[in-house]
Amino acid sequence: MITVKHLSKTFYNTAIPFTVLRDVNCEIKKGEIISIIGPSGTGKSTFLRCINLLEQPTSGEIFVNGINIMDKKTDLNAIRQKMGMVFQNFNLFSHLSILHNVTIGPIKLLKMPKEDAEKQAMDLLRMVGLAEKANSMPSELSGGQKQRVAIARCLSMKPDVILFDEPTSALDPTMVSEVLSVIRQLAKQGMTMLIVTHEMKFAYDVSTRVFFMNEGIIYEEGTPEEIFEHPQKPLTQAFINRIRTLEYEIKNSDFDLHHMNAEIEQFCQKYALGNDIYNRILHLVEEIPSIMMQDPGAIHLKLDYSEKNYNIYVEFEQDGCTNLILDNPDTDEVALSIIRGCCESIDENIVGNSRKIKAKVKSNKS
Amino acid sequence: MNIFVSFLKKNQFFLFFISILLLSTFLLNGCKNDQKTHIPKSLNELGNSKVAVVLGTIQDIYMTEQYPDCEMIRLNSLPECLAAVEKGIADYTVLDSIAILGAGIEKRGMQVDFCLNDYTSIASAFRFEDDNLCQQYNEFLAEIHQNGTVNEMKERWLSDNALNTSMPPIDRSTSGTPILVGTINFNFPFSFIKDGQLAGYEMEMMYRFGTYIGRPVEISAYEFSSILMALNSGKIDIVTCFLCQTEERAKTVLFSDPYYQCQSICVGRSANSNAYSDNNFWDETKEVFKNDLLVEKRWKLLLDGLWETVFISFFSIIIGTILGCLICALRMSRRKLWRGITIGYTKIMHGMPILVFLMIMFYIVFAPTQVTATWVAIIAFAMNFGAFVSEMFLSGIQSVDHGQVEAGRALGFSKRSTFVNFVLPQALHRIFPVYKGEAISLIKNTSIVGYIAIQDITNASDIIRSRTFDAFFPLIIITIIYFILAWILGAVLDYINKKTTHA
């Protein structure tokens, strides 16, 4: 139904040209419900807005029902009539009553008789639970109510597909569920939808397919299980597990230990990891590099903390070393025992010509 | 009764305003001044008192040069000078002896303190290149002196009987190029409005001159301050408006032989000015009302003026609004040229006083054309209004959230119909209060059209004031009329706004 090929978008109206989308390719079939997730600023909304050309793509092709919509000859308005859009900020027509908001499209564009349009509007408003507000003005409604009206307005054009651009991001938490339940209802009715969202649980429940966007491309895609349970690629994993990272470079044995410790303390405080864990991490970053320093070569330290399952990993990487040191009988026994006391598990392996040590820090619960 | 109460409730402000006006009338008429103890016998005795004069007259020039110690109060017309003395704003006023004819200064607690010894010549003015016409005019003056017509005219206009005189029948030519005469319409008894027509000594003289050279005469009335400009820009051929011959003026215009010698007098408050106390407030107000409106059907002047004001305001608002939309559209265009032109236009219009712009349009831009003064005024006001309207529209349109446009486009509305259906209604709704204010202030701004010889309602009140020498009552009447006009316009705009928002 929608096919996107090599879509790219660069904004030139900023001080430095800014590429949001590099190369997006996808194919969306009728009846699919696609959630688009990813960190902020990775072009999710831009991608959605390119599909109905609210943003003009820099290059690439978009086909809707086989029609190239970027062709100048295409009747874009006709395409848009069949492609609804729900905005983050609702964008209800503030000078029109709720009923008029839902009837103006069918009356002016579909040339529907006024009575029919009003009857249909009332049905739609009943569906989203706002029939009694038909004669109110948008300013009298709460955010959640406005968004439900916006969905009804969208449906009034009988679209083939609806694009949701962060439909709940501007709502306070108490109103999110009322909007989501309307979208769930649409999902049951088999409406084709593309939803940019930050509501992970909702995306898991409702979608047939999930796009994880990062670095201007669809970085990983798959069923909700695949993306949320077993993400394959590191950035997807980091995003799904909400991993926070601290990186530090130890250049040689004369490095500034106090500075590193201060950084780690800051990191621990920021994510409220507690004193015990902080101490364990300190032990690890003191003892492991001291062992590794036997060999020359800078050490790259990486501290990962997942806000989803609370796992903390400390990772050390040293280039130019091909021998294992933890199981080496020459290694200091005392240091090793301290290390083992601080972590649940520790692995060492050689990748290429660099040595990697990854330790899972013991958590308070275990 | 119920209707009346609801009217009261709905129009509180209106009634409040009217009552303030009535109160102010009362206060203005009732205000009295201290008696004066010393009566001067010559200008030397005036010392540093406050002296009212009509701006630009020979008295103004003379007093400013000879008596720099006096504090000069320069006013626009004779009635204002007399009122200034009457109300104590000025101590004395120096003016032409003939000018106070019929002003009834004794009744108003004033008296002629002394006459000045020098005489000034009153003459008509021509353009230098029209010396032929001037020559003919001088011959004409000589002839009417010889055959006694002048005496007849003096008998008719310059005696105590003048108030009841009307123009004698004169055979007027109807063929040939008309002579365009410029005058002022508030200088009794030389040129003034009587029964809705220009009349007076000078007017009779001009018609006689027309007959003498066999050409029809067309007379129009200007503000004194702009009349020489009208002459030099070719709007008129002769200025006859009790113009004193001065050296300075002789440099810019060609004076004819003098047709009148004028003596100046000094008027001050009477020694015992209790003239008022005989009459009570109501009798006085009734008298004023009768003099200002009923005598000579002066209300008709106001009615004609009102029509002119309404006509100018109406078309200025309509044309100005259309022009404003156009300018706004060009302002939003992608072409830099259009944007530059329109921004420049708005900046100029915002920066230039409307009076200056009106004068430039009338005396320079439209001087060589046949466009009537009324339409020049409409064009000038419309251009000015258009600049403001375009600015309003632009800010209104820009204030509409871009999300509204996106919502419209996403539904499938074209660019144009998104603008018409969603952006414009919201923009209009937002700019409405400002628009209403500007439109109403435009009505009031039209009061300056007297400068280009249009008899609007303000001008009509000036005419009445020049005849009745009553400085305030006509002003209060036109204030009420302006207020009602503004109120009606506001109501009409409110109605349109209401109708369009709930459509």
Side-chain angles (χ1 to χ4, degrees), chain B residues 444-459:
Chain B
K444 288 174 284 179
N445 280 341
T446 58
S447 62
I448 57 169
V449 294
Y451 277 88
I452 60 165
I454 297 172
Q455 254 185 49
D456 75 325
I457 191 161
T458 303
N459 203 271

Side-chain angles (χ1 to χ4, degrees), chain A residues 184-228:
Chain A
R184 276 177 220 272
Q185 206 177 330
L186 289 179
K188 266 183 221 152
Q189 292 167 10
M191 176 64 76
T192 313
M193 297 189 281
L194 267 78
I195 309 166
V196 171
T197 186
H198 289 293
E199 300 286 333
M200 295 303 157
K201 189 169 177 329
F202 169 73
Y204 191 115
D205 293 347
V206 83
S207 25
T208 56
R209 207 146 51 109
V210 178
F211 290 174
F212 173 72
M213 286 192 70
N214 205 335
E215 299 179 333
I217 55 168
I218 297 177
Y219 184 82
E220 190 170 345
E221 63 159 291
T223 62
E225 288 76 21
E226 283 167 353
I227 296 291
F228 288 106

Side-chain angles (χ1 to χ4, degrees), chain B residues 185-382:
Chain B
N185 55 19
F186 49 81
N187 193 30
F188 183 80
F190 285 88
S191 56
F192 60 97
I193 304 275
K194 166 120 186 164
D195 299 328
Q197 297 288 322
L198 276 163
Y201 183 92
E202 285 170 336
M203 296 306 101
E204 181 179 342
M205 197 167 68
M206 291 327 291
Y207 286 124
R208 285 190 189 282
F209 175 55
T211 315
Y212 176 77
I213 59 167
R215 286 166 67 180
V217 177
E218 273 178 23
I219 304 180
S220 42
Y222 286 78
E223 288 284 312
F224 185 74
S225 50
S226 60
I227 197 160
L228 291 183
M229 202 150 88
L231 175 69
N232 278 328
S233 69
K235 289 268 168 198
I236 45 181
D237 303 321
I238 311 176
V239 169
T240 306
C241 65
F242 209 73
L243 194 63
C244 299
Q245 246 177 345
T246 62
E247 281 176 28
E248 218 173 331
R249 283 178 192 153
K251 285 176 200 161
T252 53
V253 292
L254 177 64
F255 277 108
S256 68
D257 295 338
Y259 55 83
Y260 188 76
Q261 294 293 329
C262 159
Q263 188 182 24
S264 297
I265 52 166
C266 176
V267 171
R269 282 186 293 282
S270 310
N272 49 351
S273 61
N274 43 11
Y276 289 113
S277 41
D278 307 342
N279 289 337
N280 70 31
F281 172 74
W282 283 117
D283 287 347
E284 218 170 87
T285 310
K286 254 190 255 171
E287 182 68 21
V288 166
F289 187 80
K290 197 184 127 206
N291 272 340
D292 282 338
L293 294 177
L294 303 180
V295 173
E296 286 181 21
K297 291 189 178 167
R298 285 180 182 137
W299 55 269
K300 264 184 115 173
L301 278 177
L302 284 176
L303 203 66
D304 292 346
L306 175 66
W307 164 243
E308 199 76 43
T309 296
V310 169
F311 186 81
I312 293 173
S313 308
F314 179 78
F315 282 103
S316 302
I317 289 173
I318 302 276
I319 298 173
T321 306
I322 295 168
L323 189 69
C325 294
L326 262 169
I327 295 168
C328 180
L330 292 179
R331 188 78 186 265
M332 292 192 294
S333 116
R334 287 206 190 121
R335 289 215 183 161
K336 262 201 178 143
L337 180 71
W338 284 125
R339 283 210 307 266
I341 290 173
T342 49
I343 289 172
Y345 175 81
T346 355
K347 284 244 174 352
I348 290 171
M349 283 296 160
H350 281 186
M352 195 175 351
I354 177 70
L355 175 60
V356 176
F357 182 62
L358 186 70
M359 304 271 265
I360 290 174
M361 291 294 277
F362 186 69
Y363 292 111
I364 298 168
V365 179
F366 283 97
T369 66
Q370 294 294 313
V371 181
T372 63
T374 305
W375 279 100
V376 172
I378 289 172
I379 291 167
F381 279 106

Side-chain angles (χ1 to χ4, degrees), chain B residues 95-115:
Chain B
L95 26 84
D96 303 324
S97 60
I98 204 77
I100 58 164
L101 203 67
I105 58 166
E106 290 81 11
K107 255 201 272 175
R108 297 165 64 186
M110 289 179 282
Q111 65 179 28
V112 177
D113 286 340
F114 57 89
C115 298

Side-chain angles (χ1 to χ4, degrees), chain B residues 24-98:
Chain B
S24 62
T25 323
F26 181 80
L27 289 175
L28 285 168
N29 275 333
C31 151
K32 291 188 179 70
N33 275 290
D34 311 332
Q35 292 187 0
K36 131 176 124 168
T37 48
H38 170 72
I39 295 174
K41 289 282 165 265
S42 78
L43 286 176
N44 293 324
E45 291 176 46
L46 295 187
N48 57 358
S49 11
K50 290 184 263 184
V51 179
V53 289
V54 180
L55 177 79
T57 52
I58 187 79
Q59 291 85 9
D60 180 11
I61 298 162
Y62 180 74
M63 292 296 293
T64 313
E65 273 175 14
Q66 304 293 322
Y67 298 93
D69 285 348
C70 290
E71 189 187 324
M72 303 302 288
I73 300 174
R74 297 182 180 84
L75 298 167
N76 247 333
S77 68
L78 192 76
E80 279 157 21
C81 288
L82 289 174
V85 174
E86 188 186 3
K87 304 292 178 195
I89 296 161
D91 300 316
Y92 304 98
T93 175
V94 179
L95 26 84
D96 303 324
S97 60
I98 204 77

Side-chain angles (χ1 to χ4, degrees), chain A residues 67-69 71-81, chain B residues 412:
Chain A
I67 303 164
N68 183 357
I69 63 166
D71 191 337
K72 288 255 172 346
K73 281 173 248 158
T74 307
D75 182 1
L76 190 58
N77 294 328
I79 301 270
R80 280 175 175 159
Q81 288 175 17

